[in-house]
Amino acid sequence: VILSDSMEDIINVVNQIKPDILLLDIRMPAIGGDEVVKKLKANTETANLPVVLFSADFKGELMAKVAGADAYIAKPFELKDLIRTLEETLNKYYLQ
């Protein structure tokens, strides 16, 4: 698990670390998680990285869909719901 409070260099971090999945808040300083998803999905090297967006924004689910996120979870959420969402998303990518 790698934590960050800034998304400004996320493409480089993702290319360096090669995570199995990315969990992003839609509302982040400087660049939001939805914008990060758009950049990742437009990049051939990161397009297949599963991304889960979360937010307390009432438009969060729509924003996640428009951005191209693989899943969305509304805040506040229960840990079991987060785990289920992550498992389902990972299964779609890695158990095909």
Side-chain angles (χ1 to χ4, degrees):
V1 174
I2 296 171
L3 304 175
S4 176
D5 57 5
S6 171
M7 294 291 116
E8 294 163 335
D9 197 31
I10 192 66
I11 302 292
N12 291 334
V13 171
V14 166
N15 283 331
Q16 236 177 356
I17 306 236
K18 308 252 189 269
D20 293 322
I21 194 166
L22 202 55
L23 179 61
L24 299 170
D25 195 331
I26 289 176
R27 299 288 183 206
M28 294 287 294
I31 180 172
D34 57 330
E35 291 302 316
V36 171
V37 172
K38 290 176 186 175
K39 289 182 180 192
L40 290 169
K41 297 298 182 176
N43 181 326
T44 57
E45 293 192 27
T46 57
N48 292 321
L49 173 64
V51 181
V52 176
L53 285 178
F54 63 92
S55 181
D57 191 306
F58 73 96
K59 293 182 184 176
E61 189 169 12
L62 177 61
M63 294 169 74
K65 184 176 182 174
V66 169
D70 299 283
Y72 171 77
I73 190 163
K75 293 195 301 186
F77 51 82
E78 297 289 328
L79 183 57
K80 65 181 170 83
D81 295 328
L82 173 63
I83 291 169
R84 180 183 40 77
T85 300
L86 293 174
E87 286 176 342
E88 288 172 358
T89 305
L90 284 166
N91 286 341
K92 280 190 243 176
Y93 274 82
Y94 299 112
L95 293 181
Q96 293 181 9

